[in-house]
Amino acid sequence: MTRTVPGRTDHVVVVGAGLSGLAAALHLLGAGRRVTVVERDASPGGRAGRTVRGGYHLDTGPTVLTMPHLADEAFAAVGDSLAARVDLVPLHPAYRARFADGSTLDVHTGAEAMEAEIERFAGAREAAGYVRLRAWLERLYRVQMRRFIDADFDSPLQLFHPDLARLAALGGFGRLDARIGRFLHDERLRRVFSFQSLYAGVAPERALAAYAVIAYMDTVAGVWFPRGGMHALPRAMADAAEYAGADLRFGQTVTRLERSGERITAVITDSGRIACDAVVLTPDLPVTYRLLGRAPRRPVGLRFSPSAVILHVGTDRTWPGLAHHTISFGAAWRQTFRELTDHGRLMSDPSLLVTRPTATDPGLAPPGRHLHYILAPCPNTAVGPDAAEWGELGPRYRDSLLTELERRGLDGIAAAVEEECLVTPADWQAQGHAAGSPFSAAHTFAQTGPFRPRNLVRGTVNAVLAGCGTTPGVGVPTVLLSGKLAAARITGGARPGRPRPAVREPQERRPV
């Protein structure tokens, strides 16, 4: 049995209306709790927010959606459904990979289509290796999901289960790059199935092979896009929560928590006092610990993931070589990871994610226009340039990114820009993200599973954490799970048999 919040939990305040907070709210509502959600911004979303510039609708956070059934679990908790509120479009291909030698690979999630694409790209031996890799990824996912990912931990002793031996037998405690290399010899293909570890904050050559589960989510389970942009998902979750009875309070900032001994008795905002029986805290770890007035003791301080520069550009043209998601790999590979994580330098030969959401939903831009989201991993402010330096560095790096994309075939992109928005580590830091990184604590071995900052903090019995800094970690699927796991700490996972509200059509009431 995992620990749960003792005493009354009738009214729960959720701080933050991002994906984790909204998932927690829906699961709590489904278990019969009264829920108040407090959000400092004027609309829901958190990291998955929305900015509008000159008719271009920009998703300010994640652009890749995998495992949508985890979002559907949250809707189902209140008798609602993801399908009733969000129009999800499966992406084919999930990604397009472009390499420095000029070669291109479309990443399909269908087994036969991907096997044929790899045979075209690299030959029959690599295609056969892919078939074995896919089978291994599926086994890895089955072993990990319920035991190590969708699970609350109170102690490392909970790891000792037959699934731990199964994970070890699958090579999960080896290194990711080496394990992928057992199946694929072509270095370009190995990149496609290992680059995902960077978003967990660890280079493929250092990451545990267990993190290949992220490649499973991307390359096997499928990639989706919500029509209306990624922000359509938290907006729909907020609508479902409100219809199920949640009190949503936007534009209110939490300033402190009122306590009586070890219990939080009220959440104090810049607009007033909200009494509560329990609280779910979703801000980044430093903000949450500051509100709680304590941080867990750790033998070594937290290490944070690399950050990212994001350049949103609205253009008067696009380029036929771009898919919805295109990964543009530089020639360098291991060197760039060392630059990011060890030396605190910008990538000398960057690998970039270019997302073109208007490929799937033209309505996100004015008629005849196109939207491109360019993500460049960069050092966080703890090891690289600090927030002040980015004031001057940001515009120069923006120019170098556009120059590099021109060199890689996006002819005329700089001249095509009509609207733009540049986001740097300084902006992430200003939003409260530790070390200027939106990816929070890195998934090193010492910050994984039961060693990751837990969602219960000693000294406070009725506060639970959710979000990418706590269990189970970084990424849209895991953040949704973190909300579910936080709710289970409060409810014990039990749901009373109460009638569910009928599903109704979503309504556009909230600013975007």
Side-chain angles (χ1 to χ4, degrees):
M1 285 286 292
T2 55
R3 290 170 54 205
T4 56
V5 170
R8 289 175 59 95
T9 59
D10 296 348
H11 179 213
V12 183
V13 174
V14 177
V15 178
L19 292 173
S20 63
L22 293 169
L26 288 166
H27 284 287
L28 288 165
L29 289 161
R33 299 319 191 262
R34 185 162 64 91
V35 176
T36 300
V37 180
V38 182
E39 168 57 51
R40 66 183 178 182
D41 292 334
S43 59
R47 284 174 174 83
R50 166 61 53 83
T51 294
V52 180
R53 296 277 182 94
Y56 293 93
H57 296 254
L58 316 177
D59 281 320
T60 59
T63 62
V64 179
L65 177 62
T66 61
M67 313 292 282
H69 69 276
L70 297 176
D72 194 47
E73 282 185 7
F75 285 101
V78 294
D80 214 319
S81 76
L82 177 64
R85 292 190 176 269
V86 180
D87 181 11
L88 281 186
V89 182
L91 297 183
H92 303 295
Y95 295 96
R96 176 165 295 152
R98 300 178 65 169
F99 300 94
D101 63 2
S103 59
T104 301
L105 173 80
D106 280 352
V107 179
H108 300 286
T109 51
E112 291 183 2
M114 190 59 186
E115 182 183 358
E117 176 69 355
I118 290 180
E119 183 168 358
R120 176 201 66 78
F121 180 80
R125 185 180 76 157
E126 295 297 282
Y130 161 75
V131 172
R132 296 194 304 274
L133 171 62
R134 185 183 178 99
W136 178 73
L137 291 172
E138 290 173 338
R139 292 197 301 272
L140 193 72
Y141 173 78
R142 287 195 298 268
V143 166
Q144 286 194 79
M145 188 60 182
R146 292 300 170 194
R147 179 60 52 183
F148 304 116
I149 299 175
D150 189 4
D152 277 318
F153 286 100
D154 293 324
S155 165
L157 296 176
Q158 290 174 257
L159 286 174
F160 293 99
H161 182 276
D163 281 342
L164 184 68
R166 295 185 185 101
L167 182 58
L170 286 169
F173 297 108
R175 296 302 175 191
L176 175 61
D177 186 60
R179 179 57 57 169
I180 298 295
R182 293 192 175 197
F183 301 99
L184 301 171
H185 298 89
D186 189 300
E187 197 245 352
R188 298 167 300 173
L189 291 174
R190 290 167 66 170
R191 293 187 188 188
V192 168
F193 290 93
S194 64
F195 81 90
Q196 297 89 348
S197 73
L198 183 60
Y199 300 119
V202 188
E205 64 190 81
R206 298 178 184 173
L208 292 176
Y211 280 104
V213 72
I214 309 174
Y216 167 87
M217 295 175 184
D218 277 3
T219 66
V220 176
V223 177
W224 307 74
F225 184 72
R227 201 171 296 281
M230 284 289 288
H231 183 66
L233 175 59
R235 204 168 67 227
M237 294 174 74
D239 284 337
E242 186 175 41
Y243 185 57
D247 178 7
L248 305 183
R249 303 188 184 186
F250 295 102
Q252 297 188 20
T253 299
V254 174
T255 57
R256 65 183 179 91
L257 303 176
E258 187 179 287
R259 313 173 63 102
S260 176
E262 293 189 327
R263 294 193 75 87
I264 306 299
T265 55
V267 173
I268 311 301
T269 76
D270 53 8
S271 298
R273 178 182 184 273
I274 309 170
C276 64
D277 300 309
V279 61
V280 175
L281 299 168
T282 72
D284 211 16
L285 292 175
V287 177
T288 288
Y289 292 153
R290 188 164 60 250
L291 287 171
L292 289 172
R294 66 176 60 233
R297 295 192 190 97
R298 298 183 66 90
V300 179
L302 285 174
R303 175 184 161 191
F304 291 92
S305 298
S307 185
V309 169
I310 298 175
L311 176 60
H312 304 266
V313 291
T315 61
D316 60 10
R317 57 167 295 193
T318 191
W319 293 265
L322 295 176
H324 186 112
H325 295 298
T326 300
I327 308 165
S328 176
F329 289 105
W333 187 238
R334 294 190 177 188
Q335 168 192 336
T336 60
F337 289 113
R338 288 192 290 270
E339 289 170 339
L340 289 176
T341 60
D342 297 341
H343 307 306
R345 296 198 300 262
L346 295 171
M347 293 180 292
S348 57
D349 186 15
S351 291
L352 307 171
L353 172 64
V354 181
T355 295
R356 182 170 59 117
T358 44
T360 304
D361 187 354
L364 295 172
R369 298 300 190 261
H370 306 272
L371 184 58
H372 302 85
Y373 167 113
I374 301 152
L375 185 150
C378 71
N380 65 43
T381 56
V383 299
D386 63 21
E389 291 178 85
W390 275 103
E392 179 184 348
L393 178 59
R396 287 193 284 113
Y397 194 52
R398 173 261 187 206
D399 292 344
S400 71
L401 286 175
L402 292 179
T403 298
E404 183 63 24
L405 288 170
E406 294 246 13
R407 192 184 68 78
R408 297 184 187 185
L410 302 191
D411 299 324
I413 186 170
V417 174
E418 293 185 332
E419 292 283 346
E420 66 180 277
C421 177
L422 179 69
V423 183
T424 74
D427 299 299
W428 301 122
Q429 190 163 306
Q431 292 174 30
H433 302 318
S437 173
F439 305 114
S440 195
H443 283 263
T444 60
F445 179 80
Q447 297 178 177
T448 293
F451 308 113
R452 195 164 182 79
R454 295 182 193 164
N455 55 10
L456 293 179
V457 179
R458 287 183 182 179
T460 306
V461 297
N462 65 334
V464 189
L465 277 56
C468 62
T470 186
T471 304
V474 177
V476 172
T478 40
V479 163
L480 290 167
L481 283 174
S482 80
K484 171 187 170 184
L485 294 172
R489 289 288 197 184
I490 293 170
T491 67
R495 288 186 184 142
R498 70 182 182 91
R500 304 284 188 247
V503 176
R504 69 176 180 182
E505 291 299 312
Q507 297 179 13
E508 297 291 335
R509 294 180 303 232
R510 201 166 278 112
V512 297

